[in-house]
Amino acid sequence: MKFSAPPYMHDVLPSEPARDGWLHVARWRALEAAFRSTCQDFGYRELRTPVMETTDLFARSIGAGTDIVSKEMFTFEDRGGRSMTLRPEGTAPAIRAYLEHGLGGERAVSKLYYIATIYRYERGQRGRYREHQQTGIEAIGSQDPALDAEVIGLAIEFYRRLGIDETELRLNSVGCPVCRPAYREALVAFAQPLADAMSADNRVRLHQNPLRMLDSKDERDREVLAGAPALPEFLCNECDSHFTELQSLLAAVGIAYRLDAHLVRGFDYYTKTAFEIVSPHLGAQNVLGGGGRYDGLVEECGGPPTPGIGLGIGTERCLIVLDQLGVKLQLEDERPDVVVVTVGAVARREGVRLLMELRKAGLASDMDYSGKSVKSQMRHADRSGAALVALLGDEELESGMVTVRPLRAGGDQVKMPRADAVRHICALRVG
């Protein structure tokens, strides 16, 4: 019997695979380190939430008429009879945690970030996976458009630190409950006579959730709706002022953008600002990240009226772009400092003791556990990329010494007293 990873899910490996080199753990850790560093520089703190939540949290927040809720969620009944769903996005769990633990009482604006695994049962393809990793931020407690500019600016800075400079910011305002009904009526009036030319899904959305028509990925729908009314033309004074100020702030900090009047994103909770950041190096799945403002979401989840804005970035898509650009991330050095090589059973026991002492001293240390010859152990040390080999054999045991041989750089083999070996090896490693 042969087993393999589930469809459109993947293993991330400890060494670089021959194909899809981005599925290398060291690259993922480097990206996560860059994201954490960027978030901390912007004043965001890490939040971790469970991989599953009650289904109602997502149905209420994302919207029952969205593709995510109606088609893509991994939902099941647990042994207690509760309907549970694997996390299909990061914002709703963050808001739930914000309310449950009273994070709003700690500071006027809660600035949070997360690194989370996301699950969506969708048509898989390159850059679109049923299990993927998302890095994201949530800024909760202010409706200042300067906060919108900060969230967008954080994303742009993160891409810059990674080495992804060629991106495009697409920007829109999706209004609010005050001004959106008039736009919805205008959109329905435009689309109704063209319904027969649209996909079956969009004909359903026309009656259930008209704005979702604009989020269709079907080319027929995009062509039919190309001439649809522009949402920004229907904004109320408050939404229009907010959107105008955001554009001024982006211009002031040198962030270029393109207005996209049909950009609505895939969630019903968005209000006012909606944005996506795309790359020319991803093909059809060209969105690196995106987000928007959700001024009614906290209230929808049972809290007081509280504005907020968030951002989600796809880890896999960033890594694929970096691969295509040939950008080499600064990877952690996973090579051991020292490999202990032994000859004979007595030396083996002493080698294990030396190995533990080296590790307690903070040196990355290893030995070959296959029980092979000294020659094979030396090959293992060489392949590992170790800086030093510490050799223990009969001669060393009799004289109370340890032989240390450098592997990576120049230097002479030396013998040192066993009692002082750890201190001397630490000094050699630092030098």
Side-chain angles (χ1 to χ4, degrees):
M1 184 179 291
K2 294 184 178 179
F3 296 97
S4 59
Y8 304 108
M9 299 184 183
H10 43 243
D11 300 308
V12 186
L13 305 175
S15 55
E16 185 172 340
R19 293 180 58 241
D20 294 326
W22 54 274
L23 289 171
H24 182 197
V25 168
R27 298 194 194 186
W28 288 56
R29 284 210 302 266
L31 182 144
E32 291 164 4
F35 182 71
R36 282 193 168 93
S37 173
T38 306
C39 288
Q40 289 164 5
D41 288 349
F42 278 67
Y44 288 73
R45 300 180 297 159
E46 185 172 6
L47 170 70
R48 302 188 187 193
T49 62
V51 73
M52 69 181 74
E53 301 274 356
T54 56
T55 302
D56 189 51
L57 173 67
F58 299 114
R60 286 172 61 89
S61 60
I62 299 173
T66 62
D67 283 354
I68 293 173
V69 172
S70 63
K71 300 178 181 180
E72 298 173 0
M73 295 201 311
F74 284 87
T75 297
F76 60 95
E77 185 176 289
D78 71 5
R79 293 180 184 272
R82 294 171 289 262
S83 180
M84 306 297 293
T85 295
L86 294 179
R87 176 176 52 210
E89 60 96 30
T91 297
I95 297 301
R96 192 267 310 148
Y98 168 85
L99 290 172
E100 183 174 349
H101 302 287
L103 299 182
E106 295 181 358
R107 15 188 116 180
V109 178
S110 291
K111 298 166 68 172
L112 310 169
Y113 77 87
Y114 61 84
I115 299 173
T117 307
I118 303 297
Y119 298 89
R120 294 185 192 171
Y121 194 93
E122 54 187 347
R123 184 171 62 86
Q125 54 188 290
R126 185 170 174 81
R128 184 183 288 273
Y129 304 105
R130 291 175 182 170
E131 180 189 63
H132 65 274
Q133 183 172 281
Q134 180 174 297
T135 57
I137 63 173
E138 312 296 340
I140 310 163
S142 172
Q143 53 188 332
D144 188 343
L147 190 59
D148 303 36
E150 176 182 276
V151 168
I152 293 170
L154 186 151
I156 299 297
E157 174 61 14
F158 170 58
Y159 296 135
R160 187 196 67 78
R161 294 186 186 189
L162 288 179
I164 302 175
D165 295 318
E166 194 176 352
T167 60
E168 179 184 71
L169 169 63
R170 296 176 182 172
L171 188 66
N172 193 27
S173 175
V174 295
C176 70
V178 173
C179 52
R180 207 152 42 205
Y183 175 71
R184 188 181 295 112
E185 290 181 13
L187 181 61
V188 169
F190 173 86
Q192 189 75 59
L194 307 171
D196 290 343
M198 294 193 295
S199 67
D201 284 342
N202 251 18
R203 288 197 294 273
V204 172
R205 293 171 185 136
L206 174 61
H207 300 288
Q208 291 185 352
N209 196 338
L211 261 69
R212 295 271 66 80
M213 294 190 297
L214 300 174
D215 196 44
S216 172
K217 304 302 185 288
D218 191 302
E219 287 302 321
R220 292 173 299 167
D221 296 335
R222 291 178 178 272
E223 291 174 8
V224 168
L225 296 171
L231 209 161
E233 297 174 3
F234 290 78
L235 297 179
C236 62
N237 289 337
E238 180 186 341
C239 290
D240 184 60
S241 296
H242 185 278
F243 195 41
T244 299
E245 178 62 13
L246 171 58
Q247 293 175 69
S248 298
L249 290 166
L250 292 174
V253 296
I255 296 178
Y257 59 88
R258 179 171 71 83
L259 296 178
D260 183 348
H262 289 172
L263 174 63
V264 295
R265 301 283 293 157
F267 307 111
D268 281 355
Y269 56 59
Y270 283 129
T271 57
K272 296 178 181 172
T273 305
F275 66 92
E276 288 181 344
I277 300 170
V278 302
S279 165
H281 302 284
L282 276 173
Q285 303 303 324
N286 65 347
V287 179
L288 282 174
R293 181 163 280 283
Y294 45 78
D295 289 348
L297 182 56
V298 174
E299 189 173 7
E300 182 66 30
C301 291
T306 309
I309 181 169
L311 156 74
I313 295 172
T315 294
E316 289 87 343
R317 292 189 184 183
C318 285
L319 290 168
I320 289 171
V321 167
L322 290 169
D323 241 14
Q324 293 178 342
L325 293 174
V327 174
K328 301 298 183 184
L329 295 173
Q330 186 66 43
L331 305 183
E332 293 178 10
D333 189 350
E334 296 182 319
R335 298 174 296 179
D337 296 312
V338 188
V339 169
V340 176
V341 173
T342 63
V343 183
V346 177
R348 192 68 165 173
R349 287 192 290 273
E350 185 60 29
V352 169
R353 194 161 71 91
L354 175 60
L355 186 66
M356 295 307 294
E357 291 174 11
L358 290 166
R359 288 168 175 167
K360 287 180 180 178
L363 293 177
S365 308
D366 199 7
M367 70 188 309
D368 182 6
Y369 292 99
S370 61
K372 294 181 178 178
S373 65
V374 172
K375 188 176 181 180
S376 294
Q377 291 181 62
M378 291 299 296
R379 278 200 299 266
H380 163 77
D382 191 54
R383 284 195 300 268
S384 75
L388 302 167
V389 162
L391 177 64
L392 284 167
D394 291 339
E395 182 181 336
E396 283 79 12
L397 289 176
E398 289 176 5
S399 60
M401 307 290 281
V402 176
T403 299
V404 178
R405 180 183 303 173
L407 292 180
R408 287 191 207 166
D412 299 323
Q413 176 174 299
V414 296
K415 286 191 175 182
M416 55 190 66
R418 170 66 182 89
D420 299 325
V422 173
R423 179 169 56 84
H424 283 304
I425 291 172
C426 285
L428 282 173
R429 185 67 194 95
V430 171

